[in-house]
Amino acid sequence: MKNKWIFLLVFFLFIFPGSAFAEPLPFPSLELGIREAQTPQDTALTLQLLAILTILSLAPAILILMTSFTRIIVVLSFVRHALATQQMPPNQVLVGLALFLTFFIMAPVWTDVNQNALQPYLEGNIDQGQAFENAMMPIRDFMFEHTRKTDLALFIDLAGIERPEVKGDIPTYVLIPSFAISELKTAFQIGFLIFIPFIVIDMVVASTLMSMGMLMVPPMMIALPFKLLLFVLVDGWHLIVKSLMLSFG
């Protein structure tokens, strides 16, 4: 009986295909090809496309090493390790928070880039070279503001260039690593201060357990609730984010 119904269904589909199926959905066709450039404009367009793809591939490195992202994500990681909450908050939450804090801090810089570089270039008032120079100026000013002179001098000596008289004489490839290690040092300094109260709690809990003879009880398990309680009572996330914002002021 079952085979009979299957046969009737197949027969119906073949005899009445128009009523059984709706009209097929049209699918767009996509064609990719490589052809020889016919004009100088075609060559310039190809080079522009390659430059854009290169910039997009380097976008994560640009975001990490030329903005406030490095300091923020390192400090947030220190907070999680100080609390000893393993993977709480998750990595996705920390990275997302760091990204939005970075967008908030860098908003004046991006506004300056948009007004003085991107919009004039789109309107045809400046060429690509001038747009790139105008875009780099506020970013370089931001990095100079948060780069230590000792770190900058280190990479100037390593690059083997003459001691610059003004900031404009310092190449960007020297400024970026100087800014990066300065951010790491600042983040570790903030992280050290964050660890101090939690280390005190660990020491107090460990000493209390030893005095009570409870050597088999892990001190970390007992200290974790007190750490969370302290962090909540002082509104820790508010203080951490406020300190990060003020450190870029």
Side-chain angles (χ1 to χ4, degrees), residues 117-135:
L118 180 59
Q119 294 303 324
Y121 173 71
L122 295 178
E123 295 172 358
N125 297 329
I126 58 177
D127 57 10
Q128 293 180 359
Q130 187 63 42
F132 179 77
E133 293 181 3
N134 293 350

Side-chain angles (χ1 to χ4, degrees), residues 68-247:
S68 58
F69 181 83
T70 300
R71 183 189 305 186
I72 295 174
I73 191 63
V74 172
V75 170
L76 294 181
S77 299
F78 271 122
V79 173
R80 185 172 66 181
H81 286 293
L83 288 172
T85 53
Q86 303 301 326
Q87 295 298 321
M88 296 301 294
N91 291 332
Q92 294 85 346
V93 175
L94 292 185
V95 173
L97 178 60
L99 282 174
F100 279 100
L101 292 178
T102 300
F103 295 153
F104 181 84
I105 293 172
M106 301 298 295
V109 178
W110 302 140
T111 301
D112 195 351
V113 171
N114 180 62
Q115 293 178 351
N116 298 325
L118 180 59
Q119 294 303 324
Y121 173 71
L122 295 178
E123 295 172 358
N125 297 329
I126 58 177
D127 57 10
Q128 293 180 359
Q130 187 63 42
F132 179 77
E133 293 181 3
N134 293 350
M136 287 302 300
M137 287 178 58
I139 299 176
R140 283 171 57 89
D141 290 340
F142 174 82
M143 289 191 291
F144 273 121
E145 184 178 357
H146 301 285
T147 301
R148 291 178 173 82
K149 295 182 179 180
T150 54
D151 298 330
L152 196 58
L154 170 64
F155 283 95
I156 290 176
D157 293 337
L158 293 176
I161 60 178
E162 297 182 359
R163 188 176 184 86
E165 298 180 358
V166 295
K167 294 181 179 179
D169 297 335
I170 300 176
T172 303
Y173 72 88
V174 172
L175 176 59
I176 293 176
S178 304
F179 171 75
I181 64 174
S182 294
E183 287 293 281
L184 288 174
K185 181 177 181 180
T186 303
F188 273 68
Q189 290 175 341
I190 298 175
F192 172 76
L193 296 177
I194 292 173
F195 260 95
I196 292 178
F198 299 111
I199 291 177
V200 172
I201 293 177
D202 287 333
M203 295 177 62
V204 171
V205 170
S207 300
T208 303
L209 292 177
M210 290 182 63
S211 63
M212 296 175 62
M214 302 174 64
L215 301 179
M216 301 301 295
V217 179
M220 183 179 299
M221 184 178 64
I222 305 300
L224 179 58
F226 291 100
K227 291 181 180 180
L228 295 177
L229 179 62
L230 173 64
F231 198 72
V232 171
L233 289 178
V234 300
D235 199 0
W237 290 113
H238 174 84
L239 294 177
I240 294 297
V241 172
K242 181 180 179 180
S243 300
L244 285 171
M245 296 297 104
L246 294 177
S247 68

